Amino acid sequence: MALEISPQSADGSTPSSFLDVRDLRVHFPTEDGLVKSVDGVSFTLEKGKTLGIVGESGSGKSVTSLALLGLHKNSRARVSGEVWLDGQELVNLSEGEMRSLRGSKVSMIFQDPLSALHPFYSVGSQIAEAYLVHHKVSKKEARERSVEMLKRVGIPQPERRYRDYPHQFSGGMRQRAMIAMSLVCDPELLIADEPTTALDVTVQAQILDLIRDLQEEFGSAVIIITHDLGVVAEISDDILVMYGGRRVEYGTVQDVLEHQEHPYTWGLMQSMPHLSGDVTQRLNPIKGSPPSLINLPGGCAFNPRCEFRDRVPGDRCLTERPELLPVLGSDKHIAACHLDADGKAEIRGTADKAVK
Amino acid sequence: MSTTKSIAGQRPAPAAESSGENLLEVTGLEKHFPIRQGIVFQRQVGAVRAVDGLDFAVRAGESLGLVGESGCGKSTTGRLVTRLLEPTAGKVVFDGEDITHKPVVKMREARQNLQMIFQDPYSSLNPRHTVGTIVETPMRLNGINPPQGHKRRAQELLEIVGLNPEHYNRYPNEFSGGQRQRIGVARALALKPKLIVADEPVSALDVSIQAQVVNLLQDLQREMGIAFLFIAHDLAVVRHFSERVAVMYLGKIVEVGDRTAIYERPRHPYTHALLSSVPEVVPGSENRERIRLAGDVPSPINPPSGCRFRTRCWKAQDKCATEEPPLVRLEGNGDGHLTACHFPEEPTIASRGEDIVLDPALAALEEARRQSDTGV
């Protein structure tokens, strides 16, 4: 297996970035074999910045985020690699130590707020509980804080709604309550796992703007996990594209969305219809379906679905796993593809025409 | 669109919005689900007015898109048209025949030309039936005996939708989501229908798979001349698939028109709000207008009086609360572009200099930021 080298993880020193994930691996042993859900993922994130992780279902996006929160402890998952948060390594922390970080320093917004909120307790008391766990305050103070958070995220009549149960909230309001709960302790890192997938487009726009505006106010780092490139384009600074548990492309939003370097990213861009696209043009889907994580294709994991593997001389796409190499003319942009720069430029020319 | 085609031998179309040959005509369609209370003597205490007076038509071979937020009644409309639900009021005329209250047994005949594709490819296929059985059943139920035999016909259909005909004996659980949706499409095609009601056919699929199914449906529409009622919440997918689009809000159509009218020259504030909410990846989309509505769709149990959108509208005035705006062609609108609004917006989607932010939390945060910016 070729070793992935990323610029920041070559040495073993303490990182300078706020969040530094190095060669994270999450493997699940099953009866059918070893499921390599996340296989060597590295990225960095500064405070006040947003990273978007994009990929299809089963690409390892959510498993990555659960690993950051240490939620694979006590499961059969095998987690390796390093996660440095503000100078502290998280993978080897004990469950107790992790617990004190979870909710206060790192918190999470889940995809489906109805199943993430407890149906038996009122929304307000669940938010207050998150505050009580991490702060030595009276119940009354926690309650006041909770009402204030409900107000901040735009829930009308927060004093009255404090006593309501999750089923009395609409989908958008539940997601707002989730955001209130995750922000109640001023976390420095906020992970949002498909926060708007279950919501309508008008509510999605409200929630995305709310996350962005609150981030600006709190100055936290945000990781947003989604399958929708539009959502990422709207609020992220950096993008990490995952395929089969590995990184295939990583860079700033401008780098990745305007100068895609990997055929999978091209495929994602071209398979989505756009509001300003040419309607006479057929969509150009990625053929086939996502790979099995037990038996990833050899060489480049994307090769069975790639239109351009014939352009690479020899059988390199089938036999040799492409390394993540820096893209010329950009300091952050890296991509894992055997195609040479000329070939990519040529293909991108035709791809851009298709999108516009 | 065949506006000049002769309609001799057919019933003349009743009050329809166009002179074309209408395959499906819906007038004043209503569906109210009763809310009952009490255990032994149940009395009705109210109704969910899911669909509340719809008029639209689908011409032969065209695709009409139906968009709107969840709870606006788009799926109910699809189920009323296929008569999976019984309309409370109104009229559904399909292929020149009134099917509004047709008995279930007789509906089977009409459904030969009127098929449906469902949203969830996991729950809409019987897990105990093989793919072959699933695709053949509509033919057997309707007593259709294709000359090549049921099995061969089913295999042909599987091939048309891009599946391996040798998988005839497999069960749905052996297929991925995208492949299952193809099985659903093959089943809908089995009777060579004239109209397919597709209820969110791609929203349960991954982005890369979505495009495969959209392309398949588009090919079928073009090659077989099947008309579609395409129900979806994804505005970009609907724009790609449908020549005409109807925008629904709380059980009513608020705007309908052809693709360019709705997506480039929308007049109803709700259409503006919907379009501006779609996140876009294409560079250069920054100069679109930005509208952020407050809250969610109101309850269809007690819809607002007058114009139903007025509670979330930035242009609402007293008139909107008292008088319901009719769905009419406004001055400056093209042919067939109807809008239900007293105070319509300018027909453009370009940025208007200032954002419209109705969400109180967002407005407060952005106001605070503006103040700190000017303060520093």
Side-chain angles (χ1 to χ4, degrees):
Chain A
M1 218 192 304
L3 195 70
E4 277 185 35
I5 301 162
S6 72
Q8 69 274 4
S9 65
D11 57 295
S13 65
T14 325
S16 54
S17 299
F18 172 66
L19 173 70
D20 193 337
V21 176
R22 296 172 174 182
D23 196 28
L24 182 70
R25 285 165 206 271
V26 184
H27 294 177
F28 296 91
T30 66
E31 279 177 15
D32 297 328
L34 191 63
V35 176
K36 296 179 179 173
S37 289
V38 179
D39 202 19
V41 165
S42 312
F43 56 86
T44 60
L45 185 62
E46 298 299 339
K47 279 188 128 181
K49 295 282 183 196
T50 303
L51 170 75
I53 303 184
V54 211
E56 287 170 284
S57 0
S59 60
K61 316 181 291 278
S62 294
V63 176
T64 305
S65 69
L66 294 178
L68 296 186
L69 279 166
L71 289 176
H72 292 305
K73 293 181 202 294
N74 302 331
S75 78
R76 42 194 310 176
R78 294 184 197 144
V79 184
S80 65
E82 296 166 38
V83 176
W84 291 89
L85 181 74
D86 208 7
Q88 193 177 14
E89 211 285 313
L90 302 186
V91 171
N92 296 316
L93 279 189
S94 70
E95 174 60 23
E97 288 166 314
M98 198 62 223
R99 241 188 117 100
S100 68
L101 287 180
R102 228 181 269 144
S104 62
K105 200 156 185 171
V106 196
S107 70
M108 182 145 178
I109 303 172
F110 292 93
Q111 172 174 359
D112 178 7
L114 188 57
S115 54
L117 290 168
H118 199 297
F120 192 74
Y121 298 98
S122 75
V123 171
S125 66
Q126 294 185 52
I127 298 172
E129 184 196 357
Y131 194 64
L132 276 170
V133 166
H134 296 286
H135 296 83
K136 285 203 165 107
V137 291
S138 69
K139 279 192 173 166
K140 189 163 169 279
E141 280 169 283
R143 186 197 154 94
E144 277 161 16
R145 169 82 183 165
S146 163
V147 170
E148 185 206 321
M149 285 312 296
L150 285 174
K151 194 175 165 202
R152 286 282 273 289
V153 297
I155 293 196
Q157 302 172 282
E159 289 86 6
R160 197 174 66 78
R161 300 298 276 194
Y162 178 94
R163 293 189 300 267
D164 277 359
Y165 291 88
H167 75 269
Q168 291 165 297
F169 276 40
S170 71
M173 287 210 303
R174 278 182 211 133
Q175 199 54 285
R176 282 170 193 259
M178 277 295 294
I179 293 174
M181 191 192 292
S182 62
L183 291 178
V184 72
C185 296
D186 293 330
E188 291 168 64
L189 173 64
L190 177 65
I191 301 171
D193 187 359
E194 306 256 13
T196 57
T197 307
L199 304 177
D200 275 315
V201 58
T202 57
V203 182
Q204 163 170 296
Q206 297 164 14
I207 299 286
L208 289 180
D209 284 7
L210 188 65
I211 293 178
R212 191 184 54 209
D213 287 351
L214 287 168
Q215 174 191 23
E216 256 177 52
E217 198 190 315
F218 288 85
S220 36
V222 174
I223 296 178
I224 184 152
I225 292 161
T226 173
H227 61 270
D228 188 339
L229 279 172
V231 168
V232 169
E234 204 95 323
I235 74 166
S236 303
D237 300 294
D238 292 344
I239 298 189
L240 171 67
V241 184
M242 289 185 68
Y243 188 79
R246 300 170 183 164
R247 296 184 294 172
V248 295
E249 190 161 359
Y250 176 48
T252 63
V253 166
Q254 288 79 16
D255 284 343
V256 177
L257 292 184
E258 290 172 29
H259 310 280
Q260 307 105 29
E261 284 285 319
H262 197 282
Y264 178 61
T265 324
W266 282 318
L268 284 182
M269 289 285 282
Q270 288 186 40
S271 54
M272 281 169 52
H274 302 280
L275 278 187
S276 51
D278 179 1
V279 285
T280 55
Q281 187 93 34
R282 273 170 70 84
L283 297 177
N284 190 3
I286 305 173
K287 60 178 185 185
S289 7
S292 147
L293 293 170
I294 297 176
N295 285 312
L296 269 190
C300 171
F302 186 60
N303 86 65
R305 304 176 74 189
C306 184
E307 289 177 63
F308 307 111
R309 75 171 187 209
D310 301 339
R311 286 181 178 240
V312 176
D315 280 343
R316 282 182 71 199
C317 290
L318 279 75
T319 54
E320 188 185 330
R321 181 161 155 200
E323 280 179 45
L324 276 159
L325 295 174
V327 175
L328 283 178
S330 165
D331 19 314
K332 207 167 191 179
H333 197 180
I334 49 177
C337 180
H338 285 312
L339 280 169
D340 54 21
D342 293 343
K344 282 179 187 165
E346 191 189 319
I347 300 162
R348 204 183 303 129
T350 52
D352 280 353
K353 254 179 252 150
V355 168
K356 277 165 193 165
Chain B
M1 276 162 273
S2 51
T3 41
T4 51
K5 238 183 206 171
S6 152
I7 50 165
Q10 282 196 3
R11 254 168 9 96
E17 56 191 314
S18 81
S19 55
E21 189 184 332
N22 289 332
L23 181 64
L24 175 76
E25 255 162 46
V26 172
T27 32
L29 188 66
E30 284 182 17
K31 178 70 192 176
H32 295 178
F33 294 99
I35 307 167
R36 291 186 214 279
Q37 231 168 42
I39 297 163
V40 183
F41 300 104
Q42 294 202 332
R43 61 204 163 83
Q44 191 176 333
V45 291
V48 177
R49 304 165 72 152
V51 172
D52 211 9
L54 288 191
D55 301 281
F56 64 88
V58 183
R59 296 171 206 140
E62 84 161 350
S63 163
L64 174 71
L66 209 53
V67 292
E69 291 171 279
S70 41
C72 74
K74 357 181 247 304
S75 292
T76 307
T77 308
R79 285 166 183 265
L80 287 172
V81 164
T82 44
R83 277 290 315 281
L84 295 176
L85 287 173
E86 186 84 16
T88 313
K91 200 168 158 192
V92 181
V93 176
F94 176 71
D95 212 7
E97 189 186 1
D98 188 344
I99 58 164
T100 322
H101 297 291
K102 221 173 177 198
V104 177
V105 186
K106 290 193 174 158
M107 256 324 277
R108 193 167 277 170
E109 207 175 307
R111 286 209 191 100
Q112 290 190 18
N113 288 319
L114 178 58
Q115 287 288 306
M116 188 152 181
I117 301 172
F118 296 90
Q119 171 173 5
D120 184 359
Y122 292 85
S123 59
S124 61
L125 301 176
N126 189 335
R128 287 167 175 266
H129 285 182
T130 64
V131 172
T133 317
I134 289 170
V135 178
E136 274 173 25
T137 303
M139 293 188 267
R140 292 191 192 278
L141 280 177
N142 284 287
I144 293 171
N145 294 306
Q148 66 270 53
H150 284 123
K151 184 176 175 184
R152 286 288 298 281
R153 174 72 186 143
Q155 289 183 324
E156 271 173 32
L157 286 164
L158 290 178
E159 209 161 356
I160 290 173
V161 298
L163 293 173
N164 188 344
E166 285 162 25
H167 293 169
Y168 176 86
N169 277 324
R170 295 201 178 178
Y171 287 89
N173 69 318
E174 297 172 63
F175 294 89
S176 68
Q179 287 172 320
R180 285 183 204 211
Q181 200 56 300
R182 286 171 193 269
I183 299 171
V185 175
R187 175 175 61 185
L189 288 178
L191 298 172
K192 300 184 188 156
K194 291 182 185 168
L195 175 73
I196 293 182
V197 176
D199 186 5
E200 305 261 14
V202 297
S203 51
L205 307 174
D206 252 322
V207 199
S208 64
I209 312 295
Q210 263 191 18
Q212 296 175 2
V213 176
V214 169
N215 278 349
L216 169 69
L217 294 178
Q218 208 157 29
D219 290 344
L220 295 175
Q221 194 209 356
R222 286 184 187 152
E223 284 162 26
M224 304 186 177
I226 302 172
F228 272 84
L229 181 62
F230 192 88
I231 301 167
H233 66 273
D234 186 327
L235 286 130
V237 171
V238 169
R239 176 176 176 274
H240 189 83
F241 194 80
S242 304
E243 297 102 60
R244 286 200 311 132
V245 179
V247 182
M248 277 186 78
Y249 188 77
L250 269 184
K252 285 199 182 287
I253 291 179
V254 294
E255 189 157 24
V256 58
D258 59 30
R259 184 155 39 203
T260 31
I262 296 292
Y263 285 88
E264 281 160 37
R265 302 172 51 80
R267 301 299 301 274
H268 200 284
Y270 181 61
T271 317
H272 278 257
L274 268 185
L275 286 172
S276 91
S277 304
V278 178
E280 267 281 56
V281 266
V282 183
S285 49
E286 300 85 30
N287 55 2
R288 292 190 304 157
E289 57 186 354
R290 177 167 173 260
I291 303 168
R292 295 295 176 260
L293 296 178
D296 308 274
V297 186
S299 153
I301 299 173
N302 276 315
S305 64
C307 171
R308 300 191 166 189
F309 184 58
R310 71 179 163 85
T311 51
R312 298 169 88 197
C313 184
W314 56 97
K315 298 193 98 180
Q317 298 181 21
D318 294 347
K319 188 184 178 189
C320 302
T322 52
E323 208 178 302
E324 191 177 324
L327 187 66
V328 290
R329 180 175 162 190
L330 299 172
E331 209 182 307
N333 277 5
D335 229 5
H337 181 185
L338 312 178
T339 311
C341 184
H342 291 306
F343 306 102
E345 279 284 347
E346 291 302 310
T348 172
I349 52 163
S351 170
R352 50 180 89 209
E354 204 175 321
D355 298 338
I356 298 175
V357 180
L358 301 179
D359 189 293
L362 277 182
L365 282 165
E366 284 169 21
E367 182 58 30
R369 194 198 314 157
R370 218 170 294 129
Q371 276 173 1
S372 71
D373 281 354
T374 48
V376 174

